Amino acid sequence: MALYFMSSSSIPRPPLPTTSGVQGKTSHEAPAGDVQAPPLLTVQKVAEAPGAASAPAASGPAVASPQQSNDGPLGPSHVVAETSSERMNATFVTLARNSDIWEIVKSIRQVEDRFNRKFHYDWVFLNDKPFDETFKNVTTSLISGKTHYGEISKDHWSFPEHIDTDKARKVREDMAQRKIIYGDSISYRHMCRFESGFFFLHPLMQQFEWYWRVEPSIELYCDINYDTFKYMKDHGKKYSFVLSLYEYVETIPTLWDSVKTFMKEHPEHIAEDNSMQFLSDDKGETYNHCHFWSNFEIGNLNWLRSQAYTNYFNRLDKDGGFFYERWGDAPVHSIAAGLLLKKDEIHFFNDIAYYHVPFTHCPTGDQYRLDRKCHCNPKENFDWKGYSCTSRFFEMNKMEKPQGYKDQED
């Protein structure tokens, strides 16, 4: 069975009119709510790479951290290096197959060269099969922090008991005939459900408070000279993105119906100053299909483990759309962030220049890119194109668009 790592969003069409390890057993207690973690999961851990910095979660090597002046909504506008031993309780996390090794190493080199060589954060790798020695040895040699390797429980990578597998099969056959991307894939659906409701419950993730999701074959185009995790904490952010777009309508026809049911069942979880304006053009009656592209995320794990998110995921999971349709983790995470968080708890990392096929986020502004040693082509920036939802995010938050954005519009 293939393990897909791509984002749940599919390649867009024209704009819509109105998306050497040590093995052992670790017991795991599920959070409150209906989500049930398995009692036992196989966990593989590999020690830090030779020569890597070793530090407990609360402290670390001397690094450059930002001293912001004139901080704007896009991040620190001026960064001054200072010596600091403070380090966040954070990790990178990657879902990958053994066969992805030569694609994930490209991502690791990008992340290490542009960011992590200065900060030495840990990296968690998850797979529905055991990682082989080649994968562990090669990745450990490239990462400056400690590496951890875990196997996903069958309970988190299979059809739940309430799913009618015959009905789900007929849906896949229909989607295959209609040529909906990944429409006939079982493993893609397992991936989307796992990323939506379980990755943050894995025993290897329980020790961390913050995560940065990294997928194979991504690129980072600019230097990142400050601790992004610390920036999130210091500025009260819980979720972040670099790219946003519309989801395929055919993959989520009843997702918003389930969301509306959740909102009626749990009005106490809906944030007062939320981002409904980003998600809906009619105050929540319908979904406009905008979402943050979740192959890049920096976020707070405690929020994902909260009672609010647990209740939200359980409602969606019970309704079966991960299998009866093809709900992706990108709209699932985005809708949760848009409704359960205050809008000022969501951050757009303009300065993290990023590529995941087929889209590029290249910071707008010539001097901005020069200061950060960027090598992206600004003409390829997706932010201000017609299929991007980033303009909506700016308008909702009354943020001024960066100078030069009109030159990058369609």
Side-chain angles (χ1 to χ4, degrees):
M1 178 181 70
L3 170 63
Y4 290 92
F5 57 79
M6 286 188 65
S7 162
S8 62
S9 300
S10 33
I11 297 173
R13 299 167 298 178
L16 299 171
T18 70
T19 142
S20 56
V22 179
Q23 297 187 3
K25 297 289 185 179
T26 302
S27 60
H28 178 53
E29 183 177 341
D34 298 329
V35 174
Q36 292 297 316
L40 293 175
L41 290 178
T42 300
V43 178
Q44 299 170 296
K45 300 187 72 172
V46 170
E48 62 199 72
S54 177
S59 62
V63 295
S65 63
Q67 290 293 312
Q68 296 89 21
S69 63
N70 301 319
D71 271 7
L74 303 185
S77 57
H78 178 60
V79 177
V80 179
E82 70 169 12
T83 299
S84 172
S85 61
E86 184 176 6
R87 179 178 166 182
M88 301 303 296
N89 184 13
T91 186
F92 296 96
V93 60
T94 295
L95 179 64
R97 306 160 293 197
N98 287 308
S99 59
D100 292 325
I101 180 60
W102 304 118
E103 296 305 313
I104 192 58
V105 295
K106 298 176 185 177
S107 301
I108 293 171
R109 277 261 51 119
Q110 296 275 332
V111 173
E112 287 289 327
D113 292 348
R114 289 296 195 174
F115 174 80
N116 203 41
R117 63 185 176 86
K118 299 181 280 286
F119 298 96
H120 314 304
Y121 279 110
D122 287 13
W123 206 308
V124 173
F125 294 94
L126 301 174
N127 190 353
D128 70 323
K129 300 289 191 298
F131 283 106
D132 60 33
E133 292 304 306
T134 296
F135 190 101
K136 290 187 286 187
N137 290 336
V138 172
T139 53
T140 296
S141 72
L142 294 174
I143 295 169
S144 59
K146 294 181 180 179
T147 52
H148 311 265
Y149 302 86
E151 187 175 348
I152 299 168
S153 163
K154 182 177 175 59
D155 290 353
H156 289 173
W157 198 272
S158 61
F159 291 99
E161 292 183 357
H162 66 275
I163 293 298
D164 181 337
T165 55
D166 186 57
K167 176 181 176 180
R169 176 184 56 79
K170 292 178 181 177
V171 168
R172 295 194 303 274
E173 292 173 352
D174 174 68
M175 285 191 170
Q177 290 182 349
R178 290 189 286 145
K179 301 187 185 307
I180 296 174
I181 188 168
Y182 302 126
D184 61 344
S185 173
I186 296 176
S187 60
Y188 189 83
R189 287 171 167 81
H190 290 326
M191 181 277 288
C192 291
R193 181 172 178 259
F194 176 77
E195 293 282 21
S196 295
F198 301 117
F199 85 90
F200 46 86
L201 299 180
H202 194 283
L204 289 179
M205 297 296 292
Q206 291 289 353
Q207 61 190 301
F208 299 107
E209 182 180 357
W210 300 91
Y211 75 100
W212 179 335
R213 178 170 165 180
V214 179
E215 297 199 356
S217 303
I218 61 100
E219 290 193 57
L220 293 180
Y221 291 117
C222 302
D223 285 350
I224 306 168
N225 295 316
Y226 66 98
D227 189 331
T228 56
F229 300 115
K230 190 173 188 301
Y231 182 89
M232 294 280 286
K233 176 180 179 295
D234 290 348
H235 292 79
K237 308 297 183 181
K238 295 183 179 178
Y239 189 82
S240 64
F241 72 101
V242 294
L243 286 164
S244 66
L245 64 157
Y246 294 91
E247 179 65 298
Y248 265 171
V249 178
E250 294 92 337
T251 64
I252 54 168
T254 68
L255 174 58
W256 194 249
D257 293 335
S258 292
V259 171
K260 290 168 72 174
T261 299
F262 162 76
M263 289 192 285
K264 291 179 181 178
E265 292 175 342
H266 293 284
E268 73 277 12
H269 293 327
I270 308 304
E272 290 186 7
D273 189 22
N274 61 45
S275 301
M276 180 65 83
Q277 185 180 340
F278 179 79
L279 302 170
S280 176
D281 300 329
D282 51 18
K283 299 182 180 180
E285 184 61 30
T286 60
Y287 178 36
N288 62 21
H289 308 111
C290 275
H291 68 280
F292 309 121
W293 217 22
S294 61
N295 48 66
F296 170 94
E297 295 177 322
I298 299 177
N300 184 274
L301 290 162
N302 290 335
W303 168 60
L304 291 174
R305 300 179 189 122
S306 70
Q307 189 64 59
Y309 190 89
T310 299
N311 291 149
Y312 167 78
F313 173 74
N314 284 336
R315 163 45 58 196
L316 269 55
D317 198 36
K318 286 180 179 178
D319 288 348
F322 291 106
F323 300 101
Y324 298 147
E325 295 176 10
R326 204 224 66 189
W327 294 355
D329 55 280
V332 170
H333 282 192
S334 302
I335 292 170
L339 297 179
L340 308 182
L341 299 178
K342 296 179 180 179
K343 62 185 179 184
D344 63 4
E345 293 178 310
I346 303 174
H347 182 61
F348 170 55
F349 273 110
N350 184 51
D351 51 345
I352 299 183
Y354 176 82
Y355 172 78
H356 183 295
V357 62
F359 300 121
T360 295
H361 164 63
C362 185
T364 304
D366 292 344
Q367 191 59 48
Y368 201 94
R369 293 189 299 274
L370 292 173
D371 290 344
R372 290 157 179 79
K373 298 180 174 61
C374 303
H375 70 280
C376 53
N377 182 351
K379 293 181 180 179
E380 296 177 354
N381 184 31
F382 182 68
D383 296 350
W384 317 115
K385 307 300 183 187
Y387 207 81
S388 171
C389 293
T390 300
S391 286
R392 287 178 176 270
F393 183 81
F394 271 67
E395 292 160 7
M396 175 185 69
N397 287 286
K398 297 179 171 57
M399 294 162 56
E400 184 178 352
K401 294 178 182 178
Q403 186 175 2
Y405 82 93
K406 285 186 175 294
D407 296 334
Q408 299 175 351
E409 292 180 324
D410 289 328

